[in-house]
CSV table of all heavy atoms in Angstrom, one decimal:
chain,number,residue,atom,x,y,z
C,157,ASN,N,112.2,85.1,121.0
C,157,ASN,CA,112.0,85.1,122.5
C,157,ASN,C,110.6,84.5,122.8
C,157,ASN,O,109.6,84.8,122.2
C,157,ASN,CB,112.1,86.5,123.0
C,157,ASN,CG,112.5,86.5,124.5
C,157,ASN,OD1,111.6,86.1,125.3
C,157,ASN,ND2,113.7,86.8,124.8
C,158,SER,N,110.6,83.7,123.9
C,158,SER,CA,109.4,83.0,124.2
C,158,SER,C,108.4,83.9,124.9
C,158,SER,O,107.2,83.7,124.9
C,158,SER,CB,109.6,81.8,125.0
C,158,SER,OG,110.3,82.2,126.2
C,159,LEU,N,108.8,85.0,125.6
C,159,LEU,CA,107.9,85.8,126.3
C,159,LEU,C,108.1,87.3,126.0
C,159,LEU,O,109.2,87.7,126.1
C,159,LEU,CB,107.9,85.6,127.8
C,159,LEU,CG,106.9,86.4,128.6
C,159,LEU,CD1,105.4,86.0,128.3
C,159,LEU,CD2,107.1,86.3,130.1
C,160,THR,N,107.1,88.0,125.7
C,160,THR,CA,107.2,89.4,125.5
C,160,THR,C,106.2,90.1,126.5
C,160,THR,O,105.0,89.7,126.6
C,160,THR,CB,106.7,89.8,124.1
C,160,THR,OG1,107.7,89.2,123.2
C,160,THR,CG2,106.8,91.3,123.9
C,161,LEU,N,106.7,91.0,127.3
C,161,LEU,CA,105.9,91.8,128.2
C,161,LEU,C,105.6,93.2,127.6
C,161,LEU,O,106.6,93.9,127.3
C,161,LEU,CB,106.6,91.9,129.5
C,161,LEU,CG,106.8,90.7,130.4
C,161,LEU,CD1,107.6,90.9,131.6
C,161,LEU,CD2,105.4,90.1,130.8
C,162,ILE,N,104.4,93.6,127.6
C,162,ILE,CA,104.0,94.9,127.1
C,162,ILE,C,103.5,95.7,128.2
C,162,ILE,O,102.5,95.4,128.8
C,162,ILE,CB,103.0,94.7,125.9
C,162,ILE,CG1,103.5,93.8,124.8
C,162,ILE,CG2,102.6,96.1,125.4
C,162,ILE,CD1,102.5,93.4,123.8
C,163,ASP,N,104.2,96.8,128.4
C,163,ASP,CA,103.7,97.8,129.4
C,163,ASP,C,102.7,98.7,128.6
C,163,ASP,O,103.1,99.5,127.8
C,163,ASP,CB,104.9,98.7,129.9
C,163,ASP,CG,104.5,99.5,131.1
C,163,ASP,OD1,103.3,99.7,131.4
C,163,ASP,OD2,105.4,100.1,131.7
C,164,GLY,N,101.4,98.4,128.8
C,164,GLY,CA,100.4,99.0,128.0
C,164,GLY,C,100.1,100.5,128.4
C,164,GLY,O,100.5,100.9,129.5
C,165,SER,N,99.4,101.2,127.5
C,165,SER,CA,99.1,102.6,127.8
C,165,SER,C,97.9,102.7,128.7
C,165,SER,O,97.1,101.7,128.8
C,165,SER,CB,98.7,103.3,126.5
C,165,SER,OG,99.3,102.7,125.4
C,166,PRO,N,97.8,103.7,129.5
C,166,PRO,CA,96.7,103.9,130.3
C,166,PRO,C,95.4,104.3,129.5
C,166,PRO,O,95.6,104.6,128.3
C,166,PRO,CB,97.1,105.0,131.3
C,166,PRO,CG,98.1,105.8,130.6
C,166,PRO,CD,98.8,104.9,129.6
C,167,GLY,N,94.3,104.3,130.1
C,167,GLY,CA,93.1,104.7,129.5
C,167,GLY,C,92.5,103.6,128.7
C,167,GLY,O,92.8,102.4,128.9
C,168,ILE,N,91.5,104.0,127.8
C,168,ILE,CA,90.9,102.9,127.0
C,168,ILE,C,90.9,103.3,125.5
C,168,ILE,O,90.2,102.8,124.7
C,168,ILE,CB,89.4,102.8,127.4
C,168,ILE,CG1,88.7,104.1,127.4
C,168,ILE,CG2,89.3,102.1,128.8
C,168,ILE,CD1,87.2,104.0,127.5
C,169,GLY,N,91.7,104.3,125.2
C,169,GLY,CA,91.7,104.8,123.8
C,169,GLY,C,92.5,104.1,122.8
C,169,GLY,O,92.7,102.9,123.0
C,170,CYS,N,92.9,104.8,121.8
C,170,CYS,CA,93.5,104.3,120.6
C,170,CYS,C,94.8,103.5,120.9
C,170,CYS,O,94.9,102.4,120.4
C,170,CYS,CB,93.8,105.5,119.7
C,170,CYS,SG,94.7,105.2,118.3
C,171,THR,N,95.7,104.0,121.7
C,171,THR,CA,96.9,103.4,121.9
C,171,THR,C,96.7,102.1,122.7
C,171,THR,O,97.4,101.1,122.5
C,171,THR,CB,97.9,104.2,122.7
C,171,THR,OG1,97.3,104.8,123.8
C,171,THR,CG2,98.5,105.3,121.8
C,172,VAL,N,95.8,102.1,123.6
C,172,VAL,CA,95.5,100.9,124.4
C,172,VAL,C,95.1,99.8,123.5
C,172,VAL,O,95.5,98.6,123.6
C,172,VAL,CB,94.4,101.1,125.5
C,172,VAL,CG1,94.3,99.9,126.4
C,172,VAL,CG2,94.7,102.4,126.2
C,173,ILE,N,94.2,100.1,122.6
C,173,ILE,CA,93.6,99.1,121.7
C,173,ILE,C,94.8,98.5,120.9
C,173,ILE,O,94.8,97.3,120.7
C,173,ILE,CB,92.6,99.8,120.8
C,173,ILE,CG1,91.3,100.1,121.7
C,173,ILE,CG2,92.2,98.8,119.7
C,173,ILE,CD1,90.3,101.0,121.0
C,174,SER,N,95.7,99.3,120.5
C,174,SER,CA,96.8,98.8,119.7
C,174,SER,C,97.8,98.0,120.6
C,174,SER,O,98.5,97.1,120.1
C,174,SER,CB,97.6,99.9,119.0
C,174,SER,OG,96.8,100.6,118.1
C,175,SER,N,97.9,98.4,121.9
C,175,SER,CA,98.8,97.5,122.7
C,175,SER,C,98.1,96.1,123.0
C,175,SER,O,98.8,95.2,123.3
C,175,SER,CB,99.3,98.2,124.0
C,175,SER,OG,98.4,99.1,124.5
Side-chain angles (χ1 to χ4, degrees):
Chain C
N157 202 289
S158 59
L159 182 68
T160 299
L161 292 173
I162 301 172
D163 191 349
S165 335
I168 52 165
C170 171
T171 46
V172 189
I173 291 167
S174 297
S175 30

